[in-house]
Structure formats: C-alpha cells, structure tokens
Amino acid sequence: MRELLEILERNSRVSVSELASMLQKSEYEIENDIARLEKEKIILSYGTLINWERFGDDNVVAIIEINLTPQREFGFDAIAERIYRFDEVRTVYLMSGNFDLLVIIEGKSLKEVANFVSTRLSTIDGVTQTRSHFMLKAYKKDGVILDNDEQDRRLVVSP
C-alpha cells in the first residue's frame, strides 16, 4: 500500500493499468485500494504543482508565525480551525519551538496580505503575536525544482 501512495504522491496521473503493472497487481485490486484509501481519508486530494511565477502570476505568498494562548478544553485546535477557514490561508501547521502555528497565506499584493494579517489574523481571540515573512522566490516545492532549465552551469575554462 505504501508503494502505491508513494507513486501517486509523485505523479497522480499514473493510470490504473500502469500502477497495476508497476505493483504487480490487477487493475481491479488497484482500483479497490485507491477507493479504500480515499474513503479512509488517507488520499485527500489529487493536485497539480504549477509554477505560477513562470505563468506570470504575481501573487504574494507569506509565512506567518503565530503565538497563541490555548483555549480551555480545545487547546490550539479551535483557533487553528478558525484560521484555516479563511480563503487566503493555504496551509496551517501546529509547531514546536518559538511559535505555535505556522500559516501560509496568499494574496494579490503585499498590501492585501498585510491587511489580512493586521485586521483578520491578529484580532482573533487567543492570538498574542504574529510575525510575517514574505516569500521572495521559490526554488523547490514539494520535492520539485521549479526553475531548472537544464543549462550547463559549469565555469568556462579558457586557455
């Protein structure tokens, strides 16, 4: 089962027949395995990794570190849920270390992202501090190098 998940994580477009051949199973078994993994919420979604910068999209991505005061009986979960329900929020992680939540948000401009943090995130009950970091350039995402044109980057040696 792990092999199936690893293959799909790298490329969700692999056909059932290719998966069956790679894993030495029948197509029927593969279809049943995938259906079970989806039903059990192990497979949550099938995605496409897009280099939006190369496409020409100039959205601003920010990583926000958030410190919280946990709520009685709910801990961090209730605040995290409130935060991840915003459309601007792409990812939320509970962290160990100097801050409690790591939130990745996206907006059309620096001003839009700053406004979201100051008026919507920082005003939530339990949020005690936010620190914003704006992403300047992505080199690699989810294991994929984003801007690799396969150029020869060796130094030129001349006589």
Side-chain angles (χ1 to χ4, degrees):
M1 202 62 75
R2 181 175 198 70
E3 277 184 287
L4 173 61
L5 290 170
E6 289 172 350
I7 292 168
L8 289 173
E9 186 176 44
R10 281 191 308 273
N11 182 1
S12 63
R13 293 190 61 174
V14 176
S15 70
V16 171
S17 61
E18 287 176 290
L19 289 167
S21 175
M22 294 166 81
L23 299 172
Q24 300 175 349
K25 288 184 167 188
S26 71
E27 290 182 24
Y28 176 78
E29 289 174 298
I30 296 295
E31 288 171 345
N32 283 339
D33 288 346
I34 291 172
R36 192 179 107 239
L37 291 165
E38 290 171 344
K39 184 179 179 183
E40 293 176 5
K41 303 249 186 255
I42 293 170
I43 295 176
L44 299 173
S45 156
Y46 297 91
T48 302
L49 184 60
I50 298 169
N51 186 340
W52 288 108
E53 186 176 315
R54 183 169 276 194
F55 179 71
D57 196 338
D58 291 333
N59 279 356
V60 174
V61 178
I63 297 173
I64 314 299
E65 300 171 358
I66 302 176
N67 285 344
L68 305 172
T69 301
Q71 294 181 339
R72 180 171 288 170
E73 297 182 33
F74 298 106
F76 297 115
D77 294 346
I79 300 170
E81 181 178 350
R82 187 157 176 213
I83 291 170
Y84 70 60
R85 293 203 178 276
F86 288 114
D87 289 337
E88 295 86 347
V89 173
R90 297 286 171 250
T91 305
V92 178
Y93 295 113
L94 180 62
M95 304 294 290
S96 65
N98 293 330
F99 55 94
D100 302 310
L101 292 181
L102 181 124
V103 178
I104 300 175
I105 64 173
E106 189 171 333
K108 294 188 185 325
S109 68
L110 185 69
K111 185 175 182 176
E112 181 180 288
V113 170
N115 186 51
F116 174 78
V117 172
S118 65
T119 62
R120 300 189 71 196
L121 275 185
S122 63
T123 59
I124 294 173
D125 284 340
V127 171
T128 60
Q129 183 179 23
T130 64
R131 284 177 295 286
S132 301
H133 307 275
F134 292 93
M135 300 228 297
L136 303 177
K137 181 177 180 177
Y139 294 99
K140 187 175 184 177
K141 183 175 180 182
D142 296 335
V144 177
I145 298 169
L146 297 178
D147 198 20
N148 187 3
D149 291 332
E150 299 296 325
Q151 296 174 355
D152 187 357
R153 296 183 188 252
R154 293 178 289 180
L155 293 175
V156 176
V157 178
S158 57

